[in-house]
Amino acid sequence: MNPISQENADVNAAIDAELQLMDPAVRASRSLAARFLDPEFVEVGASGRRWTYEEMLAALPDLDGGGGEDGPRFEPSGMGGVVLAPGIVHLTYETVIDGRRARRSSLWRRRDGETGWRMYYHQATPVPAGD
């Protein structure tokens, strides 16, 4: 596979994994969510709170988007990515959930010998009303 095709495949795989992490069924299952979070995962949420891997896995079912099929769901838009280095993809996009917008940035990594991508870092920044 040529380098550009590989980069596109890597970005698309990270986007697919990001979208799966927004699925309420994945958010409600610690074992499913753990497949997508790197053991060294850190998040700075839209609230400003810093989350670790264990904290996120414990809280994910109760956070926005984890309320089951009847609860509010993330509505992503403008998702795109770039390969920063082999095994590292940076995604950026916006979401709306329950009327609140946020700009989001995620770093995904695939370690040597692993086939799947895992979220290493995520940050959400609220979008001010009227912006």
Side-chain angles (χ1 to χ4, degrees), residues 11-59:
V11 168
N12 288 336
I15 287 172
D16 182 58
E18 184 94 33
L19 293 172
Q20 288 186 58
L21 261 177
M22 291 183 208
D23 184 315
V26 172
R27 297 173 79 77
S29 167
R30 182 181 175 97
S31 63
L32 289 176
R35 292 184 359 211
F36 296 103
L37 296 181
D38 190 276
E40 296 177 9
F41 170 82
V42 173
E43 175 173 328
V44 177
S47 67
R49 179 176 174 179
R50 183 182 184 278
W51 299 84
T52 64
Y53 173 81
E54 285 298 328
E55 291 169 337
M56 182 56 70
L57 286 178

Side-chain angles (χ1 to χ4, degrees), residues 49-78:
R49 179 176 174 179
R50 183 182 184 278
W51 299 84
T52 64
Y53 173 81
E54 285 298 328
E55 291 169 337
M56 182 56 70
L57 286 178
L60 202 53
D62 299 320
L63 295 175
D64 285 344
E69 293 301 319
D70 296 332
R73 295 184 66 126
F74 285 99
E75 299 171 32
S77 64

Side-chain angles (χ1 to χ4, degrees), residues 47-119:
S47 67
R49 179 176 174 179
R50 183 182 184 278
W51 299 84
T52 64
Y53 173 81
E54 285 298 328
E55 291 169 337
M56 182 56 70
L57 286 178
L60 202 53
D62 299 320
L63 295 175
D64 285 344
E69 293 301 319
D70 296 332
R73 295 184 66 126
F74 285 99
E75 299 171 32
S77 64
M79 192 174 289
V82 63
V83 174
L84 297 178
I88 304 288
V89 171
H90 180 219
L91 300 181
T92 57
Y93 60 102
E94 285 193 15
T95 58
V96 175
I97 187 164
D98 209 20
R100 295 181 318 274
R101 285 178 55 209
R103 293 190 177 105
R104 298 181 178 271
S105 176
S106 298
L107 290 176
W108 288 81
R109 77 176 173 182
R110 185 182 61 215
R111 293 184 179 196
D112 289 340
E114 292 184 359
T115 57
W117 288 88
R118 292 179 176 228
M119 185 183 284

